[in-house]
Each structure stands twice: as structure tokens, then as C-alpha cells.
Short mmCIF file of all heavy atoms in Angstrom, two decimals:
data_model
loop_
_atom_site.label_atom_id
_atom_site.label_comp_id
_atom_site.label_asym_id
_atom_site.label_seq_id
_atom_site.Cartn_x
_atom_site.Cartn_y
_atom_site.Cartn_z
N GLY A 959 2.27 12.47 18.28
CA GLY A 959 3.56 12.86 17.72
C GLY A 959 3.86 14.33 17.98
O GLY A 959 4.99 14.69 18.33
N GLU A 960 2.85 15.20 17.83
CA GLU A 960 3.04 16.63 18.09
C GLU A 960 3.41 16.88 19.55
O GLU A 960 4.29 17.69 19.84
CB GLU A 960 1.78 17.41 17.72
CG GLU A 960 1.55 17.54 16.23
CD GLU A 960 0.22 18.21 15.90
OE1 GLU A 960 -0.46 18.71 16.81
OE2 GLU A 960 -0.14 18.22 14.70
N LYS A 961 2.75 16.17 20.45
CA LYS A 961 3.04 16.35 21.88
C LYS A 961 4.45 15.88 22.24
O LYS A 961 5.08 16.42 23.14
CB LYS A 961 2.02 15.59 22.74
CG LYS A 961 0.63 16.21 22.72
CD LYS A 961 -0.30 15.42 23.62
CE LYS A 961 -1.70 15.99 23.63
NZ LYS A 961 -1.83 17.22 24.37
N LEU A 962 4.92 14.86 21.50
CA LEU A 962 6.25 14.29 21.79
C LEU A 962 7.36 14.85 20.92
O LEU A 962 8.53 14.54 21.11
CB LEU A 962 6.20 12.76 21.64
CG LEU A 962 5.22 12.02 22.53
CD1 LEU A 962 5.21 10.54 22.19
CD2 LEU A 962 5.55 12.23 24.00
N GLY A 963 6.98 15.66 19.91
CA GLY A 963 7.99 16.24 19.03
C GLY A 963 8.51 15.27 17.99
O GLY A 963 9.67 15.36 17.58
N VAL A 964 7.65 14.31 17.58
CA VAL A 964 8.03 13.36 16.54
C VAL A 964 6.92 13.32 15.49
O VAL A 964 5.85 13.90 15.69
CB VAL A 964 8.26 11.94 17.12
CG1 VAL A 964 9.41 11.94 18.12
CG2 VAL A 964 7.00 11.38 17.77
N THR A 965 7.16 12.62 14.41
CA THR A 965 6.14 12.52 13.37
C THR A 965 5.15 11.41 13.69
O THR A 965 5.42 10.53 14.52
CB THR A 965 6.78 12.22 11.99
OG1 THR A 965 7.36 10.90 12.05
CG2 THR A 965 7.83 13.26 11.63
N ASN A 966 4.00 11.43 12.99
CA ASN A 966 3.02 10.36 13.17
C ASN A 966 3.59 9.02 12.67
O ASN A 966 3.23 7.97 13.18
CB ASN A 966 1.70 10.70 12.47
CG ASN A 966 1.86 10.86 10.97
OD1 ASN A 966 2.86 11.38 10.49
ND2 ASN A 966 0.86 10.44 10.22
N LYS A 967 4.49 9.06 11.71
CA LYS A 967 5.13 7.83 11.23
C LYS A 967 5.99 7.20 12.32
O LYS A 967 6.04 5.97 12.44
CB LYS A 967 5.98 8.11 9.99
CG LYS A 967 5.16 8.39 8.75
CD LYS A 967 6.06 8.59 7.54
CE LYS A 967 5.22 8.87 6.31
NZ LYS A 967 6.04 9.03 5.12
N THR A 968 6.65 8.03 13.09
CA THR A 968 7.47 7.53 14.20
C THR A 968 6.58 6.85 15.23
O THR A 968 6.89 5.76 15.71
CB THR A 968 8.28 8.66 14.83
OG1 THR A 968 9.14 9.22 13.84
CG2 THR A 968 9.11 8.18 16.00
N VAL A 969 5.45 7.49 15.56
CA VAL A 969 4.50 6.90 16.51
C VAL A 969 4.00 5.58 15.95
O VAL A 969 3.91 4.58 16.68
CB VAL A 969 3.33 7.87 16.80
CG1 VAL A 969 2.26 7.19 17.65
CG2 VAL A 969 3.83 9.14 17.48
N SER A 970 3.70 5.54 14.67
CA SER A 970 3.24 4.30 14.03
C SER A 970 4.29 3.21 14.15
O SER A 970 3.96 2.04 14.43
CB SER A 970 2.91 4.56 12.55
OG SER A 970 2.59 3.36 11.90
N ARG A 971 5.54 3.54 13.95
CA ARG A 971 6.63 2.55 14.05
C ARG A 971 6.74 2.01 15.49
O ARG A 971 7.03 0.83 15.68
CB ARG A 971 7.95 3.17 13.61
CG ARG A 971 7.99 3.39 12.11
CD ARG A 971 9.32 3.98 11.66
NE ARG A 971 9.26 4.27 10.25
CZ ARG A 971 9.56 5.45 9.72
NH1 ARG A 971 9.96 6.45 10.49
NH2 ARG A 971 9.47 5.64 8.42
N TRP A 972 6.52 2.87 16.47
CA TRP A 972 6.54 2.40 17.85
C TRP A 972 5.37 1.45 18.09
O TRP A 972 5.53 0.41 18.70
CB TRP A 972 6.43 3.57 18.83
CG TRP A 972 7.55 4.54 18.82
CD1 TRP A 972 8.82 4.36 18.34
CD2 TRP A 972 7.51 5.87 19.32
NE1 TRP A 972 9.56 5.50 18.52
CE2 TRP A 972 8.79 6.45 19.12
CE3 TRP A 972 6.53 6.65 19.91
CZ2 TRP A 972 9.10 7.75 19.50
CZ3 TRP A 972 6.83 7.95 20.29
CH2 TRP A 972 8.11 8.49 20.09
N GLU A 973 4.20 1.85 17.61
CA GLU A 973 3.00 1.06 17.87
C GLU A 973 2.99 -0.27 17.14
O GLU A 973 2.36 -1.22 17.59
CB GLU A 973 1.75 1.88 17.52
CG GLU A 973 1.52 3.03 18.47
CD GLU A 973 0.25 3.82 18.18
OE1 GLU A 973 -0.47 3.50 17.22
OE2 GLU A 973 -0.03 4.78 18.94
N THR A 974 3.69 -0.37 16.03
CA THR A 974 3.76 -1.64 15.31
C THR A 974 4.92 -2.51 15.80
O THR A 974 5.09 -3.63 15.34
CB THR A 974 3.92 -1.41 13.79
OG1 THR A 974 5.10 -0.65 13.56
CG2 THR A 974 2.69 -0.73 13.20
N GLY A 975 5.70 -1.99 16.72
CA GLY A 975 6.81 -2.75 17.27
C GLY A 975 8.07 -2.72 16.42
O GLY A 975 8.99 -3.49 16.64
N ALA A 976 8.12 -1.81 15.44
CA ALA A 976 9.31 -1.72 14.60
C ALA A 976 10.47 -1.10 15.35
O ALA A 976 11.63 -1.44 15.11
CB ALA A 976 9.00 -0.90 13.34
N TYR A 977 10.19 -0.16 16.24
CA TYR A 977 11.22 0.54 17.01
C TYR A 977 10.79 0.69 18.45
O TYR A 977 9.61 0.76 18.75
CB TYR A 977 11.48 1.95 16.45
CG TYR A 977 12.06 1.99 15.07
CD1 TYR A 977 11.26 2.29 13.98
CD2 TYR A 977 13.40 1.72 14.85
CE1 TYR A 977 11.80 2.34 12.70
CE2 TYR A 977 13.93 1.76 13.58
CZ TYR A 977 13.13 2.07 12.52
OH TYR A 977 13.65 2.10 11.26
N LEU A 978 11.77 0.78 19.33
CA LEU A 978 11.54 1.11 20.72
C LEU A 978 11.69 2.62 20.87
O LEU A 978 12.68 3.18 20.39
CB LEU A 978 12.56 0.40 21.61
CG LEU A 978 12.43 0.62 23.11
CD1 LEU A 978 11.14 -0.01 23.63
CD2 LEU A 978 13.62 0.03 23.84
N PRO A 979 10.74 3.30 21.51
CA PRO A 979 10.88 4.74 21.69
C PRO A 979 12.15 5.07 22.49
O PRO A 979 12.53 4.32 23.40
CB PRO A 979 9.63 5.13 22.48
CG PRO A 979 8.67 4.01 22.27
CD PRO A 979 9.49 2.79 22.07
N PRO A 980 12.79 6.20 22.19
CA PRO A 980 13.97 6.59 22.97
C PRO A 980 13.56 7.00 24.39
O PRO A 980 12.38 7.23 24.68
CB PRO A 980 14.54 7.76 22.19
CG PRO A 980 13.40 8.30 21.41
CD PRO A 980 12.50 7.14 21.13
N ALA A 981 14.55 7.11 25.25
CA ALA A 981 14.30 7.41 26.67
C ALA A 981 13.48 8.69 26.86
O ALA A 981 12.58 8.73 27.70
CB ALA A 981 15.62 7.51 27.42
N GLU A 982 13.77 9.73 26.07
CA GLU A 982 13.04 10.99 26.22
C GLU A 982 11.56 10.80 25.92
O GLU A 982 10.70 11.35 26.61
CB GLU A 982 13.60 12.07 25.28
CG GLU A 982 15.07 12.35 25.41
CD GLU A 982 15.94 11.36 24.64
OE1 GLU A 982 15.53 10.85 23.57
OE2 GLU A 982 17.04 11.07 25.14
N ALA A 983 11.25 10.03 24.88
CA ALA A 983 9.86 9.79 24.52
C ALA A 983 9.17 8.93 25.57
O ALA A 983 8.00 9.16 25.90
CB ALA A 983 9.78 9.12 23.15
N LEU A 984 9.88 7.94 26.11
CA LEU A 984 9.31 7.11 27.17
C LEU A 984 8.96 7.95 28.38
O LEU A 984 7.89 7.79 28.98
CB LEU A 984 10.28 5.99 27.56
CG LEU A 984 10.50 4.88 26.54
CD1 LEU A 984 11.64 3.97 26.96
CD2 LEU A 984 9.22 4.08 26.33
#
């Protein structure tokens, strides 16, 4: 999350399939 400029909760949401990462994160 720090490397991508997001929170660890956001990374968790991506990894659980709750959200698709935005284009910048991809």
C-alpha cells in the first residue's frame, strides 16, 4: 500500500476481490 500510495485496507479489498484496482495501481 505504501509503494502504491493506498492503505493496507485498499490492498486487502483488492486481494479479496471486493474491488478492481484502478488503472494507475495496475
Side-chain angles (χ1 to χ4, degrees):
E960 287 175 9
K961 290 182 180 286
L962 300 176
V964 298
T965 66
N966 61 323
K967 288 183 180 181
T968 300
V969 173
S970 174
R971 288 181 185 127
W972 296 340
E973 291 182 359
T974 59
Y977 294 103
L978 181 67
E982 305 82 33
L984 290 171

